[in-house]
């Protein structure tokens, strides 16, 4: 989610329950237009086959309602796109369903994006402040009213994605903007992975381990930065020596054996958080396979590399302030300023993070550190 997206969120009164909807081509290109569904019912093997009533119940606070999903497909039988705009965006299909609480859930299947937390591409530290990993060895994340999951690798050959990885995104249109209460992230994750795993099974590319084996974590409340062992890493110190000023905060989420991240900054639970730095570890093979050192070579604020500890490979990432240090949004500019004035230099911080992470994961730090 971009910073401008978050700044536009504002509360509204409860929306009335709306009719079953069909996502129009206008929604694909950004118009977001809907109209009441007057077409024949969707094909069973498509949306209705992927979407279970239990998933809708999770998104609607336990009320399964009386719904009928609408289905829009963007590719024909040969794999060619029906709509040039959809092809450019990598869209493969989209299913929208009205919820009993008045929200609209959209399940969008597309070729995978290159960006996102716990993946190898450079992003701003604010992503890690918003997102939490799915856990259970499943590659993806959730945030307020939104989530993304990568399908198993075999699905790249089952979908017309030219061999690229395929992802499913779930967006609750009103909860995402803060107009309606969002369901717990664990419930959103269950609904997302239910849809994605059923889709993979029906398309013949499912995997036994493509399941949530526990609750996805909720976004944690920030805590004051302790005197030592920052980000719960023994011996790790983030600020520069003799740092002074308003107290910094940290949020730590996930598990280093799956996906883990830590954000340090100010007002991390406010409307305009100021994340100064983010650290992340991922063991997901899909992320490791797509890592390219050249991705980070020309990015001023991102450092990443593959490390091996106790026979297990990790992608270690540091994000120092904003993605683009020359043009951050206002609160990211404050985070960037915090990073530059109160933290160790990014190179020193990165090396200290790697050393502390390796020790915590069970492999010794490099000699001399």
């Amino acid at each position: 989610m971009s910073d401008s997206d978050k700044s536009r969120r504002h509360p509204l009164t409860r929306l009335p329950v709306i009719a079953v909807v069909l996502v129009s081509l206008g929604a694909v290109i950004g118009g977001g237009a809907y109209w009441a569904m007057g077409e024949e019912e969707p094909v069973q093997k498509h949306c209705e086959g992927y979407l279970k009533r239990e998933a809708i119940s999770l998104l609607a606070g336990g009320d399964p309602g009386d719904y009928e999903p609408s289905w829009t497909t963007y590719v024909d039988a040969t794999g060619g796109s029906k709509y040039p705009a959809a092809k450019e965006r990598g869209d493969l299909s989209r299913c929208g369903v009205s919820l009993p609480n008045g929200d609209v859930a959209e399940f969008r299947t597309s070729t995978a994006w290159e960006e996102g937390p716990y993946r190898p591409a450079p992003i701003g530290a604010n992503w890690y402040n918003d997102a939490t990993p799915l856990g259970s060895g499943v590659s993806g994340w959730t945030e307020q009213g939104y989530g993304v999951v990568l399908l198993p690798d075999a699905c790249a050959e089952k979908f017309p994605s030219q061999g690229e990885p395929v992802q499913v995104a779930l967006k609750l249109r009103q909860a995402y903007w803060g107009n309606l209460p969002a369901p717990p992230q664990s419930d959103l994750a269950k609904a997302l992975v239910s849809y994605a795993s059923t889709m993979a099974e029906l398309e013949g590319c499912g995997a036994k381990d493509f399941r949530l084996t526990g609750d996805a974590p909720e976004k944690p409340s920030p805590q004051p930065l302790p005197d030592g062992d920052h980000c719960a890493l023994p011996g790790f110190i983030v600020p520069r020596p003799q740092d002074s000023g308003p107290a910094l905060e940290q949020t730590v989420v996930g598990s280093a054996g799956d996906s883990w991240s830590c954000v340090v900054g100010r007002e991390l639970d406010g409307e305009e958080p100021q994340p100064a730095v983010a650290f992340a570890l991922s063991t997901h093979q899909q992320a490791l396979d797509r890592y390219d050192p050249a991705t980070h070579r020309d990015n001023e604020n991102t450092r990443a590399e593959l490390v091996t500890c106790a026979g297990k490979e990790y992608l270690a990432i540091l994000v120092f302030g904003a993605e683009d240090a020359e043009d951050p949004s206002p609160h990211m500019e404050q985070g960037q300023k915090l990073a530059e004035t109160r933290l160790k230099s990014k190179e020193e911080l990165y090396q200290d993070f790697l050393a502390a992470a390796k020790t915590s994961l069970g492999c010794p730090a490099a000699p001399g550190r």
Side-chain angles (χ1 to χ4, degrees):
M1 182 196 321
S2 69
D3 299 309
S4 58
D5 279 348
K6 290 185 72 71
S7 66
R8 289 197 295 268
R9 285 180 172 167
H10 59 280
L12 293 177
T13 57
R14 180 181 176 90
L15 298 180
V17 177
I18 63 175
V20 177
V21 296
L22 173 68
V23 182
S24 70
L25 177 59
V28 178
I29 60 177
Y34 285 84
W35 58 79
M37 180 176 175
E39 307 295 332
E40 61 185 32
E41 291 192 7
V43 179
Q44 178 73 20
K45 72 173 184 177
H46 287 159
C47 180
E48 196 171 5
Y50 302 152
L51 189 61
K52 298 179 179 178
R53 189 169 297 273
E54 292 82 358
I56 295 299
S57 178
L58 288 167
L59 300 176
D63 183 0
D66 183 16
Y67 73 93
E68 288 291 346
S70 61
W71 175 259
T72 301
T73 183
Y74 304 121
V75 293
D76 58 29
T78 66
S81 176
K82 294 180 180 179
Y83 307 120
K87 182 178 182 180
E88 183 176 338
R89 289 163 55 99
D91 285 0
L92 302 174
S93 66
R94 190 181 299 213
C95 169
V97 58
S98 59
L99 301 177
N101 68 350
D103 211 337
V104 177
E106 294 178 348
F107 294 86
R108 174 190 168 201
T109 305
S110 67
T111 52
W113 305 332
E114 291 294 336
E115 64 178 8
Y118 317 106
R119 300 194 192 183
I123 57 175
N126 60 304
W127 277 75
Y128 293 95
N129 192 55
D130 296 333
T132 63
L134 290 172
S136 304
V138 178
S139 183
W141 79 92
T142 62
E143 53 184 278
Q144 175 182 295
Y146 190 78
V148 176
V149 63
L150 286 175
L151 296 183
D153 286 337
C155 293
E157 304 302 325
K158 296 291 184 177
F159 289 82
S161 63
Q162 288 73 52
E164 292 295 317
V166 178
Q167 70 177 29
V168 176
L170 167 57
K171 181 178 181 179
L172 303 182
R173 290 176 59 82
Q174 301 302 327
Y176 176 77
W177 293 106
N179 300 339
L180 284 175
Q185 286 174 265
S186 59
D187 285 350
L188 189 142
K190 290 174 185 175
L192 169 64
V193 177
S194 170
Y195 183 95
S197 62
T198 303
M199 169 184 283
E201 288 173 1
L202 293 178
E203 296 300 330
C205 57
K208 185 178 180 181
D209 57 354
F210 189 50
R211 297 286 188 277
L212 292 182
T213 57
D215 286 342
E218 300 287 329
K219 179 181 176 181
S221 298
Q223 302 295 323
L225 199 67
D227 292 336
D229 295 347
H230 297 161
C231 295
L233 296 175
F236 185 45
I237 300 295
V238 174
R240 62 183 59 185
Q242 290 81 48
D243 171 61
S244 62
L248 297 174
E249 300 173 328
Q250 69 176 25
T251 58
V252 183
V253 64
S255 164
D258 192 332
S259 284
W260 169 95
S261 63
C262 173
V263 179
V264 176
R266 289 271 301 147
E267 301 177 11
L268 295 178
D269 60 349
E271 286 295 319
E272 294 188 348
Q274 300 170 10
V277 65
F279 309 94
L281 293 167
S282 177
T283 62
H284 294 163
Q285 196 61 46
Q286 288 169 310
L288 272 57
D289 289 344
R290 301 178 74 190
Y291 170 67
D292 178 0
T295 302
H296 300 269
R297 187 172 298 148
D298 299 322
N299 184 273
E300 183 176 347
N301 281 352
T302 304
R303 301 290 184 270
E305 66 182 83
L306 296 178
V307 298
T308 302
C309 288
K312 193 169 186 178
E313 197 170 28
Y314 298 82
L315 178 62
I317 305 171
L318 172 143
V319 181
F320 196 82
E323 178 184 359
D324 183 351
E326 296 182 358
D327 188 26
S329 61
H331 54 285
M332 280 302 296
E333 187 174 22
Q334 291 298 316
Q336 185 73 33
K337 184 177 179 180
L338 283 175
E340 293 173 349
T341 59
R342 299 190 56 186
L343 307 187
K344 296 175 182 177
S345 71
K346 58 174 111 18
E347 291 300 336
E348 181 182 6
L349 201 53
Y350 182 53
Q351 294 304 323
D352 287 353
F353 163 58
L354 284 181
K358 288 178 179 180
T359 299
S360 180
L361 293 170
C363 73
R369 292 205 64 86

